Amino acid sequence: MIEAVGLDADDTLWENETFFRLTESGFAELLAEHGERADITRRLYEVERRNLARYGYGIKGFMLSMVQTAIELTDGRVSAATIRRILDLGQEMLAHPVQLIEGVPEVLGALSDRRLILITKGDLMDQERKLAASGLADHFDAVEILADKTPDSYARVLARHGIAAERFLMAGNSVRSDVLPVLALRGRAALIPHDLTWEAEHDDDPADDGFHRLDAIADLPGLIARLDRAR
Amino acid sequence: MIEAVGLDADDTLWENETFFRLTESGFAELLAEHGERADITRRLYEVERRNLARYGYGIKGFMLSMVQTAIELTDGRVSAATIRRILDLGQEMLAHPVQLIEGVPEVLGALSDRRLILITKGDLMDQERKLAASGLADHFDAVEILADKTPDSYARVLARHGIAAERFLMAGNSVRSDVLPVLALRGRAALIPHDLTWEAEHDDDPADDGFHRLDAIADLPGLIARLDRAR
């Protein structure tokens, strides 16, 4: 019996990566005279990866990494006007409207007999803004915004809510963040792939009985019903 | 009877503002040819205040505000090298060692018969780093890192932990963040002033029976013992 369901937010409940990609395009355009688009986004990705341990996830760290990449890529020749444009791109991201993924409100309604916990990572303020704007907050029994999604951080969430890992299923679009750490605790995980998923979140599908791959979030209630019957 | 004690972290348990002031000095030095130190820090403060609603609290937002201030203050003439130095200043802040405020471990030990909750705001990852480095984590029954400290966010914390506001005392160095929102819920609050407190956190002492002003955190166990006896 699945007693509690964890749901990732970015690119599971609402669009997110698409806004990062749009901003990345704008960033590459600003620096077009200094390189090919593919090279510029590659350099940006490398800077983001290097900064992850100090900045964590979220738009502010992304903004700082764009500024740093612009300086490095131009050997210090980037103009202040271009850096100002980079800050503007990031500030627009922080204000972007929330676009729900198809079927989300219906699925949350169908799962109202379970404890639903939104489990996300990133900037506190930005995630809270998006949740409020989504209109979905009332569906959730709890909201957990984590610095990172690791076995330890999931274990703390489950302990805080008194949930046994065997009765917990996590659903999200990232093998690395939503699937592997939960399976490590002997919980279950449903991968709901999104067309756009950040490169750092990719990983191979695990060979694990607790792992399920779905086509869309609309398939989640059916999976949970099947898991209930199997026990 | 005070059942649970909330403790602010920055400038209540460990030094924080001093690192912001040092960085601010470094920032003003970098821009010394563009203005007096007092004017530069005033401009930075204004930018920070304007950005608070989009960036929230913490070092990453401070870094972005420094970059923006440098561009505005120089009418776009700041060099990329100077902006790189600003990023370095911020990255050094993110790695600064944690300096406990005098008496903190002893006070937390003396309060071990209460539920102790660390309640702070700012960047998730940075606050978690500081708590881990502080060696204080084991003293706390719970850790709450909030986007902002408002009556609503305190009410959610108390509800989550099943604590009645009348049995809760919050201790910290900010009238605005640690005192007023808790008094609004009819909880108690102890102000422990710090020599350095960010201008945005200032407010007048409230005239309220639930408010107490202490000289130092070492006085907190005595205050709680007096409050216990008074009921």
Side-chain angles (χ1 to χ4, degrees):
Chain A
M1 172 83 189
I2 300 298
E3 175 199 339
V5 178
L7 285 136
D8 172 54
D10 290 339
D11 298 314
T12 298
L13 303 181
W14 51 66
E15 302 293 347
N16 178 64
E17 185 63 19
T18 185
F19 297 106
F20 278 86
R21 299 287 173 101
L22 278 170
T23 305
E24 221 172 65
S25 291
F27 176 73
E29 259 173 56
L30 284 174
L31 297 175
E33 58 184 288
H34 298 279
E36 295 297 319
R37 190 200 146 127
D39 293 332
I40 293 173
T41 55
R42 166 63 34 194
R43 288 286 288 271
L44 174 57
Y45 177 69
E46 287 164 6
V47 171
E48 283 184 84
R49 287 300 299 260
R50 264 191 278 143
N51 285 334
L52 211 44
R54 52 166 77 94
Y55 293 157
Y57 298 89
I59 294 175
K60 285 179 291 184
F62 181 61
M63 293 170 71
L64 290 166
S65 289
M66 284 195 290
V67 172
Q68 181 179 337
T69 304
I71 296 171
E72 292 181 3
L73 195 73
T74 64
D75 290 323
R77 283 175 289 116
V78 63
S79 70
T82 298
I83 290 176
R84 175 73 243 194
R85 280 294 301 135
I86 293 171
L87 295 183
D88 290 341
L89 286 175
Q91 293 190 351
E92 284 158 24
M93 278 185 87
L94 285 168
H96 75 74
V98 172
Q99 294 179 9
L100 293 188
I101 287 174
E102 198 186 328
V104 162
E106 296 76 10
V107 165
L108 297 182
L111 294 174
S112 62
D113 57 341
R114 318 281 157 151
R115 291 170 71 185
L116 295 186
I117 307 180
L118 186 141
I119 304 177
T120 184
K121 65 187 182 190
D123 283 338
L124 267 179
M125 183 162 275
D126 188 45
Q127 294 293 4
E128 291 187 2
R129 173 189 77 87
K130 290 189 285 190
L131 179 60
S134 74
L136 299 176
D138 287 347
H139 287 287
F140 291 98
D141 298 287
V143 174
E144 296 282 351
I145 303 172
L146 310 175
D148 201 359
K149 288 175 160 178
T150 63
D152 274 358
S153 62
Y154 277 106
R156 281 194 295 269
V157 168
L158 296 182
R160 186 151 53 228
H161 297 285
I163 299 164
E166 305 76 48
R167 293 167 172 268
F168 176 70
L169 179 135
M170 180 71 196
N173 69 307
S174 166
V175 173
R176 185 158 297 178
S177 293
D178 303 315
V179 171
L180 298 180
V182 176
L183 296 179
L185 301 175
R186 317 202 122 251
R188 329 289 183 86
L191 179 72
I192 308 170
H194 188 283
D195 288 347
L196 301 176
T197 293
W198 191 38
E199 194 175 338
E201 298 293 345
H202 285 287
D203 218 321
D204 295 333
D205 279 13
D208 187 305
D209 284 351
F211 172 70
H212 306 272
R213 174 181 267 271
L214 302 179
D215 289 330
I217 196 166
D219 300 332
L220 187 58
L223 168 67
I224 291 171
R226 284 200 307 284
L227 290 173
D228 279 355
R229 284 196 301 272
R231 306 281 130 180
Chain B
M1 170 83 190
I2 301 298
E3 175 199 340
V5 178
L7 285 137
D8 172 52
D10 289 340
D11 298 315
T12 298
L13 302 182
W14 52 66
E15 301 293 347
N16 177 65
E17 185 64 18
T18 185
F19 297 106
F20 278 87
R21 299 286 173 99
L22 277 171
T23 304
E24 221 172 67
S25 291
F27 175 74
E29 259 173 57
L30 284 173
L31 297 174
E33 60 184 286
H34 298 279
E36 296 297 318
R37 190 197 146 130
D39 294 332
I40 292 172
T41 56
R42 166 62 37 196
R43 288 286 288 272
L44 173 58
Y45 178 69
E46 286 164 7
V47 172
E48 283 184 84
R49 288 299 299 258
R50 265 191 277 141
N51 284 335
L52 210 44
R54 54 166 76 94
Y55 293 156
Y57 298 88
I59 294 175
K60 285 179 289 183
F62 180 61
M63 292 170 72
L64 290 166
S65 289
M66 284 195 290
V67 172
Q68 181 180 336
T69 304
I71 296 171
E72 292 181 2
L73 195 74
T74 62
D75 291 322
R77 284 177 286 113
V78 63
S79 71
T82 298
I83 291 177
R84 175 72 243 195
R85 280 294 302 135
I86 293 171
L87 296 184
D88 290 340
L89 286 175
Q91 294 190 350
E92 284 158 24
M93 278 184 86
L94 285 168
H96 76 73
V98 172
Q99 294 178 9
L100 292 188
I101 287 173
E102 196 186 329
V104 162
E106 295 75 13
V107 165
L108 296 182
L111 293 174
S112 62
D113 58 340
R114 318 283 158 151
R115 291 171 70 185
L116 294 186
I117 307 180
L118 185 143
I119 304 177
T120 182
K121 64 187 181 191
D123 284 337
L124 266 181
M125 182 162 277
D126 188 44
Q127 293 293 4
E128 291 187 1
R129 173 188 78 86
K130 290 188 285 190
L131 178 59
S134 74
L136 299 175
D138 287 347
H139 287 287
F140 291 98
D141 298 286
V143 175
E144 297 282 352
I145 303 171
L146 309 174
D148 202 359
K149 287 176 161 177
T150 64
D152 274 359
S153 62
Y154 277 106
R156 281 195 296 272
V157 167
L158 296 182
R160 186 152 53 231
H161 298 286
I163 299 164
E166 305 76 47
R167 294 167 171 268
F168 175 71
L169 178 133
M170 180 70 195
N173 68 307
S174 166
V175 173
R176 184 158 298 177
S177 294
D178 302 315
V179 171
L180 298 180
V182 175
L183 295 179
L185 301 175
R186 319 201 119 253
R188 329 289 183 84
L191 180 71
I192 307 169
H194 187 284
D195 288 346
L196 301 176
T197 293
W198 191 38
E199 191 174 340
E201 299 293 345
H202 284 287
D203 218 323
D204 295 333
D205 279 13
D208 187 305
D209 284 350
F211 172 70
H212 306 272
R213 175 182 266 270
L214 302 180
D215 289 329
I217 196 166
D219 300 332
L220 187 58
L223 169 66
I224 291 172
R226 284 200 306 282
L227 291 172
D228 279 355
R229 282 195 300 272
R231 307 280 128 181

